[in-house]
Amino acid sequence: MKAVLDEVIFNEESFELEIKSPQRDAIQRSAAGLDGQINIDLGLRARKLIQKGELRAKNQKELGQRIDAINELIDGNLHILKCPDGRIFENLLIEEFQTGASASGGAQTSCQYQIIYKQQG
């Protein structure tokens, strides 16, 4: 099985996925006559996931099409990432997509990429 982001398939077998811990949010308030503050726990909030890897294609045109397909997913909608090991991450908002310089070698063109997601709670 290969990694899939909605309909975009990452043909590469391996990629790195760094999963950050969820953030907890709270409000602190103080009141006249009260020594200290009141802390109101708002619970868990979003967490970040960082996916890194290499995009490969037969030529520069095909690589550009793969990059464009991922760029189209930066639309404010929530997405699903299915990993090769069976893990599924839902409610992902794509915050950032970066690619490095492309390099041609042999019968393919490739570039490094990084996608930063925010998983909604």
Side-chain angles (χ1 to χ4, degrees), residues 17-119:
L17 185 63
E18 183 180 345
I19 303 168
K20 305 283 187 174
S21 63
Q23 300 296 311
R24 181 167 288 282
D25 205 1
I27 298 174
Q28 293 184 344
R29 298 284 187 241
S30 53
L34 179 65
D35 190 20
Q37 294 183 333
I38 296 174
N39 190 29
I40 302 169
D41 184 9
L42 300 175
L44 293 176
R45 296 293 184 224
R47 70 176 173 178
K48 288 196 182 234
L49 286 83
I50 302 171
Q51 177 183 347
K52 296 178 183 178
E54 182 177 47
L55 291 174
R56 296 185 195 122
K58 294 177 186 173
N59 54 44
Q60 191 67 37
K61 181 179 178 183
E62 186 178 305
L63 182 63
Q65 291 171 341
R66 295 195 65 203
I67 291 170
D68 290 342
I70 296 170
N71 276 327
E72 288 178 14
L73 296 176
I74 305 174
D75 56 6
N77 293 324
L78 298 177
H79 303 283
I80 298 172
L81 176 65
K82 297 177 184 174
C83 297
D85 60 7
R87 293 180 296 171
I88 297 174
F89 297 94
E90 297 179 336
N91 300 325
L92 297 177
L93 180 67
I94 300 175
E95 286 191 330
E96 189 176 328
F97 173 56
Q98 296 178 349
T99 59
S102 61
S104 297
Q108 68 181 8
T109 300
S110 64
C111 71
Q112 298 293 319
Y113 74 90
Q114 175 177 294
I115 303 174
I116 300 176
Y117 305 99
K118 185 181 277 189
Q119 186 175 32

